[in-house]
Amino acid sequence: MRLIESSITTPKIAELFSDRSILEAMLAFEVGLARAEAGLEVIPLPAARAIEKAASPKLFEENTLAADSLRSATVSIPFVKALTEQVKQIDPTAAGFVHWGATSQDVADTAIILVLQKSRDILEADLTRVDRALSQLSERHAGTVMLGRTLLQAALPTTFGLKVAGWLGAIRRNHARLDAAFEESVILQFGGAAGTLASLGDQGVAVGKALAAELGVGYADAPWHTHRDRLAALMCALGVMAGSLGKMARDISLLSQNEIAEAAEPTAEGRGGSSAMPHKQNPVGCTLALSAAYRVPGLVSTFLSSMVQEHERAIGGWQSEWATISAIVQATSLAATSMAEVAEGLTINAARMRENIDASHGTIFAERATILLAKNLSREAARKIVEQAVKESAGSNRDFVTVLGEMPEVRKVLDPPTLNDLRVPENYLGAAEEFRRTLLNSSAAHERTRDHAERKH
Amino acid sequence: MRLIESSITTPKIAELFSDRSILEAMLAFEVGLARAEAGLEVIPLPAARAIEKAASPKLFEENTLAADSLRSATVSIPFVKALTEQVKQIDPTAAGFVHWGATSQDVADTAIILVLQKSRDILEADLTRVDRALSQLSERHAGTVMLGRTLLQAALPTTFGLKVAGWLGAIRRNHARLDAAFEESVILQFGGAAGTLASLGDQGVAVGKALAAELGVGYADAPWHTHRDRLAALMCALGVMAGSLGKMARDISLLSQNEIAEAAEPTAEGRGGSSAMPHKQNPVGCTLALSAAYRVPGLVSTFLSSMVQEHERAIGGWQSEWATISAIVQATSLAATSMAEVAEGLTINAARMRENIDASHGTIFAERATILLAKNLSREAARKIVEQAVKESAGSNRDFVTVLGEMPEVRKVLDPPTLNDLRVPENYLGAAEEFRRTLLNSSAAHERTRDHAERKH
Amino acid sequence: MRLIESSITTPKIAELFSDRSILEAMLAFEVGLARAEAGLEVIPLPAARAIEKAASPKLFEENTLAADSLRSATVSIPFVKALTEQVKQIDPTAAGFVHWGATSQDVADTAIILVLQKSRDILEADLTRVDRALSQLSERHAGTVMLGRTLLQAALPTTFGLKVAGWLGAIRRNHARLDAAFEESVILQFGGAAGTLASLGDQGVAVGKALAAELGVGYADAPWHTHRDRLAALMCALGVMAGSLGKMARDISLLSQNEIAEAAEPTAEGRGGSSAMPHKQNPVGCTLALSAAYRVPGLVSTFLSSMVQEHERAIGGWQSEWATISAIVQATSLAATSMAEVAEGLTINAARMRENIDASHGTIFAERATILLAKNLSREAARKIVEQAVKESAGSNRDFVTVLGEMPEVRKVLDPPTLNDLRVPENYLGAAEEFRRTLLNSSAAHERTRDHAERKH
Amino acid sequence: MRLIESSITTPKIAELFSDRSILEAMLAFEVGLARAEAGLEVIPLPAARAIEKAASPKLFEENTLAADSLRSATVSIPFVKALTEQVKQIDPTAAGFVHWGATSQDVADTAIILVLQKSRDILEADLTRVDRALSQLSERHAGTVMLGRTLLQAALPTTFGLKVAGWLGAIRRNHARLDAAFEESVILQFGGAAGTLASLGDQGVAVGKALAAELGVGYADAPWHTHRDRLAALMCALGVMAGSLGKMARDISLLSQNEIAEAAEPTAEGRGGSSAMPHKQNPVGCTLALSAAYRVPGLVSTFLSSMVQEHERAIGGWQSEWATISAIVQATSLAATSMAEVAEGLTINAARMRENIDASHGTIFAERATILLAKNLSREAARKIVEQAVKESAGSNRDFVTVLGEMPEVRKVLDPPTLNDLRVPENYLGAAEEFRRTLLNSSAAHERTRDHAERKH
């Protein structure tokens, strides 16, 4: 991680995009290729062994490789050249078999795929944490009433349990989409200079399948050098996930405002402090998730824009994809980690939730009052009465239900117990609990995680 | 269609987003709601009948509704008011039951979902045309050799059949993703003022299910007013599709350049003409598809940015979604229609494809020459010889293979028949045909289309 | 305005992009061209008169023109054809001189420039309203103290006057940038088929200058068919403006939350109501401005993406610009109108502002306490004392300054008057008023508006 | 530079965003602040000296700082803490005066401003190279005729000199906009905890002005923590520049296609090679510039989206700006460097330009023929004749002018010399040279560069 990357990644996910990790992935491709080709007698076995021996990340000057990439618009060319030099020192004959049959984009694309495969596990772990924490939080607060808010204004009562279940439902759906996108994308790129594997004669597909097996990735129906739809779909799945995590962060940060004070992020030594103000406790996790949600849409747009790629290898559309992929994965992963921490340590102030309902002077029950009155009066008459009561209540700062109860036309049709019941938020929750349970019971996430785990072992 | 919308939509898909169509969809929601509620005795049956009677698009002033939407940031409010007025004229009592239990966003979201459902059939039809046309084109040109091009430079031979199969494979994968996204997204929105259906007491879910059945859409696990991930995933699926259609358009437009002349869009009376130049035949279909591919990524980004929605109803993030959804669907649909026309009428000049290979003076066979020489010489020696021959060939404008054949060190290891064979593009195609067949045999698309058709009947 | 366009434009600005307005602009170009050419004896005077006579918007079928645009990827071609038909009916010879020397993009680009020129006045008027209203608001509340808030948490006191001045400063800077961008962009497009005006021989530039004068727009140094930087810069200037208006809307909507209640949008009959909840008063103006701020960045991105245009006329990059330009201008204009209304009618609750300061239990004065203590103690000692007092205050819900005053080590160094003064927000405002006055005195906006007005008369 | 950053930056510009450079900029702020405050007797002089002494980048663990930034969502907090520790080791009393009166965002924003200031010189140098090279190229090819191409199809003749002048004009306009944006943006950020500099009492503005002078940056009218319009305008100016550089790259890459072969990028040892194909010479400079042009629009969109910042410090909108700014500056700078190299070394094949004109069989003169014929016949008759001749010419692959000359109705009105002249491209260039000279004479760029240079000395 660099200073310029502060607040956009985590050490764990950043490590995957480090020089060492990228180099290992590129070397894995070349070693796997040599092994696959040696196995099929396309190249001599000793050559494969020499290549394997030379493939140590330590032997490469990453900084030089990156700078040299400007002379070919891809790092693969200086990388293959450097690897060839290393092999030559071990076995000059073997040097001729480095990268045999492959093209620059084969190694570059497969390397990023290998990194993406690893990123999946990191994301998976954080999303599972979010899932578990939100499930528990929702159960715990199934009956905790709070203000439902629309356009940032008090609307009707709802439960915090349902609110949490809403976040959870979105995360689960996103998780399922992400799984599908990863399954489709984690595949080998191998097509040679123009996507025909011509230099391998009739052994191209056999080499490709063996290489895919070596690397533990899928084998695509054909090279996809300029068909980036699978990667684009994966970037989109990450982008939508970041949006849903951002929505959760927005809600929590709003509930954490001092004047609302219904929720608070976990505190820990050194977390959320201010450089100038000793009293501040900043909602750091939400801040990081929101900052990711701001960044990702433009990055997804960049990836989509670059899909219009020319012929068998693009001019420009492909060459900067790495930076975009890396930024999207890191931002989404940071959002997931941050919200996992927030979800696991969130403090909820249920008493304050009720106080904020009470502070509305009962006007949030106006809809309910209209409905009750409309059972005995026309809806229009009911609406007029309620509007008058709302107005009086707001003007005089008196309780809406009290004001309503003083109106003669209301007294005629609603008895005191009914009026008292009117202001009990628990009695005006409709299907909240039914929705909550349905969201929580969507078992997709657990099964999916299990399947994924099984698939890997 | 309006003038300002020239070149961004087609009359057919534009019609779906017309005032009449939107109004019909909103009325369908209100009528369906009244019926569902009457069926469950939530409102009186005569009220439902009156609402149904009043629900004629002709009775509404769309222009006024749109202008009035600025006073509430949603068109639902003036719409419900206008509908209530219409019902009142038929049955004053019934007027009180209009929109019973629903909120503005319920009708707005469900209306756009109904329109999206219709758009699916239009898109489906065009994608099926593209699929069929490309399948035939690929079969017809299975053996048509052409230049593979990387970074806009001649690379190695490939076949036009494989190139077409590459486009087709991407379209099919996109089609499958789009199917999944539509399946998930075409669902009812129904949550009432704060997403709890409180005003319907314990009948909220029952009314919702009946309403979904009335409208022929799915019933979601819970209201999704501020959880826009399903719609976002659909917008993304459209965005990726637009990218793949754009890639196909890019390729064809490049092949259509006068100096390359390997492909030409279908001509028709009045199609592709220029206002000033009688000789021009513009690639109009590709132009429209490319213009869609330029537009969509930014629109997808807008949708993703707006996902960070507050609490139970967003302030700003939701209110302009209609325009974005409409623009994405129309652009992608225009791209599909345009490329369907192009694919169905594309003229291919196979002779010119071979001429362009020939015009490379054989240098595109340099890789092959290296491999052949490397069988007898070291790879490094082979590479040096070939580089020298390429240089001489380019400098003297003489055929590379001839130049090569004149080099004594080459003559020692390659006999004349081998040298002659070297420049036969058909003999250097590697796995091209194998890849092509695999891509074509991916039967997903046909089954999917069939399943979808069956599902609907 | 259409239903699908609800909440993304205003009737006034939408009118500029209506069929009639676009058609008038295109006709203005053709009439102006004919006049300019007749004046220079390039075409016969009677031909120019016939063209002028035929140029009535009523004679055109906009819907047909838009649909026909799909056959040429630009509406100019069916438009010129239709105009030619109209002229032919008046004077068959004249018909041959329609659009003489011009190309499709000349009329399309110039037409949108003419519309942009008009949009400037509408924007200008709203921005001037915002400017005036904010200036007055800032003066009125120069001394109104309120919480400064960082990361949505109470920070230190500030004044509402400074907050308003901050919004104003940004609007003025944006206004100046917008002026510069309009000045540069409102220019003629006129280059003929390939940007050389070849068909006009040596009179091309003379015709161009006369045409620019006819239309009241600038004359560019050369045709700019594929050089879109000026328009891109204008779209960017609008995009940045939308961002600043969105920031203002975000602040006001946050201040309008029931629990904060420091500000409220103007109310008016029918404004801000809810379809279900009689008590709701939605911040409609902020909602519309925020929704514009969400939309515009992606649209700007689309425009920038499309700048990479081929040779003398683009394939795809140009053809969908109208839709993007129109969307950006309308969204930004809607935001300006909305915030003008909000600024002019904003209700401020200064008492509540102070109550919210008081509700912080004085912890917002912790920084100040540290500084005061650090005059007598080491900074580290001061910080520790204050942290302890903040902790105790938060734990016991007691006033921070009272808690502080009870600590023996504090009593030693701070006397009671100093301690009392500590909690007076007016005494801890630093340079707030100085900053406020500087922002208000930046006279740029007024002079600029005046200059612009003078320039036009 | 890292491997993941291959092809998205240059070593020179990447260095500016390195840990060392960022750290130096942050330290410069703290040292400047201490000096300014000591000068005004706000803090003791020895404290300032100790801070200055401790401010060595070598003493900081950048990796730890970046990782720790996740606990506060800004690197400023761990940075200030680490600096304080360093100062403490030199002078414990001085430690209390580190960062006196400033807030996290003050140091973070000013640091990035200092880096941007340096990036300006790097950009400036490359843009000046582009300017000079294109000016010379345009002069040299003032009379070189080539095909003007619209929608990738042959249109009319133009000159390469004009084409180059078009690129140059756009670069110059962009350069001027960039200058204005830099002038406005290179300003101090200094507002303290809530933008009032409260902790500095009545000396806030004095300290700010002294600090700005120390750092050699402008002093803003007021703190701009959540008013990001100046930076947004700078990001936009870079974005539009990247678009114009991309347009130039697109043109050159199209002209470099083997089948067109009118231009070629400079070759150099190791430049533009392929990992598999010895004959390839890839247009690397254009590839890099195009890849930048693909990336930047989405990044600009991200910056604009993040402008909607809350109150006195944003939650999320600000915290990830560094990454976006850094990416935009590096991409645009890479594009400028790449196109400077391309412009300086571009090889032009004027003979091939004429051959490509000739290969059009004269049909590109159809417009001219129509005009000539229309002098004697009606325009409609002329158009019909020309259309017939175009058709015949295309069908028979015979020269259009020859075919035309054989038509009796043509012979009647056009004599052989006129017909012969018809196919001379030099005679159908209209105002090409006039436009070219106007574009070249726009002296803005040179004056601007000089002014900037003078301003600095």
Side-chain angles (χ1 to χ4, degrees), chain B residues 227-275:
Chain B
H227 295 287
R228 315 304 279 178
D229 57 292
R230 295 182 186 94
L231 275 180
L234 177 57
M235 295 304 109
C236 284
L238 290 161
V240 182
M241 174 64 94
S244 288
L245 289 163
K247 186 268 183 286
M248 178 180 161
R250 173 78 80 205
D251 282 356
I252 294 175
S253 66
L254 288 169
L255 297 179
S256 305
Q257 292 170 99
N258 303 74
E259 294 86 353
I260 294 186
E262 301 181 359
E265 282 205 16
T267 55
E269 187 56 34
R271 189 186 152 101
S274 150
S275 73

Side-chain angles (χ1 to χ4, degrees), chain D residues 127-138:
Chain D
L127 294 173
T128 303
R129 285 173 62 197
V130 174
D131 197 307
R132 195 178 309 120
L134 292 185
S135 302
Q136 292 168 1
L137 202 60
S138 178

